[in-house]
Amino acid sequence: MGRITRTTGTPRMNYRHAYHAGNFADVLKHVVLSLVIEHLKLKPAPFRVVDTHAGIGLYDLSGVEAGKTGEWRDGIGRILAAEPKGAVGEVMAPYLDVVRALNEDGGASAGDLRFYPGSPLLARRLMRRGDVLVANELHEVDRGLLAETFAGDPQTRVLGLDGWTAIKSLLPPRERRGVTLVDPPFEQPGEFARLSRALADAVRRFATGTVLLWYPIKDERPINAFHRDIADLAGRIIAVELTIREPFDAERLNGTGLVVLNPPFTLAGKLELVLPFLARTLAVEGKGRGTLRVLSQ
């Protein structure tokens, strides 16, 4: 689902994801999201996907913003060029099939990719009839573009709430099954504290639901503090991280991470297959590393 319209990534506040769409951080985030959704589909009961910082849904990699950085070439571009096969290819297939389908009229190869799905569009393409997507975006212009992408789709609701308060408003879902993605732009101080509060709110409101919290890896110290802050929350919690350079430079994006509350029991095994491939393929000067840590049992 989702119409292909040419969009250039109007900012969420000051942040403009169109500069970064399809980069290595998107690859990890979207692999994990696709695996969670595929697991939810194993049972016939409907589920709900809530995306609290949804962006615009579809990104044009030939646009001005993506062209200035070319970050997608060292992200999804490298993945497609590597052509993952075997068990790794099977794990990544749901995600990569969506990317290829968006470019099926041409441009599905690494060198001339045209379109890349944001998280809400990826989720919607993977969902079944009867499942529900709630895509929330505060920025008025971005929300308009998001609504255009999902125009006429009865299974998708586009909202304009503050992303941090959306968790309180949207959980628990009526279906009592689902996944919530919290993907803030990290443009203001205190984002790790907000992530901690958001996860605590999610546990109180929907203790059995799966929650994905995205974060950038620059300086490891605030990340370690964040992990300690959430370790005592109820439910199983894991952290999945991909770093692409060493040693770290606190002024640069050295890696990307996701905290997962209540991960599907199949997730860890599949990520253990995929993480070495991602680290090897996306590393800068061959110094990539994928890690999976249990923060709470």
Side-chain angles (χ1 to χ4, degrees):
M1 195 61 200
R3 296 187 306 175
I4 293 181
T5 55
R6 181 163 182 164
T7 54
T8 55
T10 309
R12 295 185 288 184
M13 303 177 75
N14 293 321
Y15 177 79
R16 307 185 71 180
H17 190 67
Y19 288 104
H20 314 294
N23 70 357
F24 77 94
D26 264 3
V27 169
L28 179 66
K29 176 176 63 181
H30 291 155
V31 167
V32 175
L33 178 61
S34 68
L35 291 176
V36 172
I37 291 174
E38 289 300 294
H39 183 82
L40 287 167
K41 288 160 63 176
L42 295 177
K43 293 183 178 180
F47 59 84
R48 182 169 299 213
V49 178
V50 175
D51 193 335
T52 63
H53 299 74
I56 64 174
L58 179 69
Y59 296 92
D60 186 348
L61 300 180
S62 69
V64 174
E65 296 93 339
K68 284 184 177 179
T69 64
E71 287 188 16
W72 67 271
R73 297 184 183 278
D74 289 327
I76 185 60
R78 287 193 185 187
I79 297 299
L80 290 175
E83 298 183 350
K85 297 178 176 64
V88 171
E90 291 178 9
V91 170
M92 297 186 68
Y95 159 55
L96 294 180
D97 285 350
V98 171
V99 176
R100 293 186 179 110
L102 287 171
N103 296 276
E104 61 188 2
D105 294 331
S109 65
D112 57 358
L113 199 68
R114 172 74 186 274
F115 294 108
Y116 187 79
S119 301
L121 184 56
L122 173 66
R124 182 64 186 92
R125 289 287 179 114
L126 293 174
M127 287 160 44
R128 308 161 302 182
R129 181 176 298 180
D131 300 327
V132 176
L133 169 65
V134 179
N136 181 75
E137 176 54 53
L138 179 62
H139 192 284
E140 184 177 359
V141 177
D142 280 12
R143 187 166 66 253
L145 295 170
L146 186 66
E148 183 180 347
T149 297
F150 292 108
D153 180 5
Q155 290 179 228
T156 299
R157 293 171 58 202
V158 175
L159 302 179
L161 306 173
D162 174 76
W164 297 108
T165 60
I167 293 172
K168 299 177 182 179
S169 301
L170 300 175
L171 296 180
R174 182 175 59 186
E175 297 82 1
R176 297 288 173 167
R177 300 184 67 229
V179 56
T180 301
L181 173 64
V182 184
D183 178 20
F186 270 82
E187 64 179 0
Q188 297 177 353
E191 297 284 53
F192 280 113
R194 293 184 186 94
L195 281 179
S196 296
R197 291 194 295 270
L199 191 59
D201 281 338
V203 169
R204 284 193 295 269
R205 295 171 187 278
F206 188 29
T208 60
T210 299
V211 180
L212 309 181
L213 304 176
W214 179 85
Y215 57 90
I217 299 176
K218 294 183 178 179
D219 184 347
E220 288 186 302
R221 290 171 295 180
I223 296 170
N224 292 335
F226 166 55
H227 288 173
R228 290 193 297 269
D229 287 344
I230 63 176
D232 292 333
L233 293 174
R236 180 174 170 81
I237 303 174
I238 65 172
V240 185
E241 295 185 342
L242 173 67
T243 57
I244 61 168
R245 65 172 56 86
E246 292 182 359
F248 283 5
D249 178 349
E251 301 301 317
R252 303 179 67 184
L253 185 62
N254 303 297
T256 180
L258 284 165
V259 158
V260 186
L261 170 70
N262 296 325
F265 71 90
T266 56
L267 184 63
K270 291 183 176 181
L271 288 177
E272 286 172 354
L273 282 172
V274 170
L275 281 172
F277 167 79
L278 295 180
R280 182 173 63 253
T281 305
L282 301 174
V284 175
E285 298 178 353
K287 296 183 179 179
R289 175 166 47 93
T291 59
L292 182 66
R293 285 184 282 172
V294 176
L295 303 183
S296 175
Q297 295 284 358

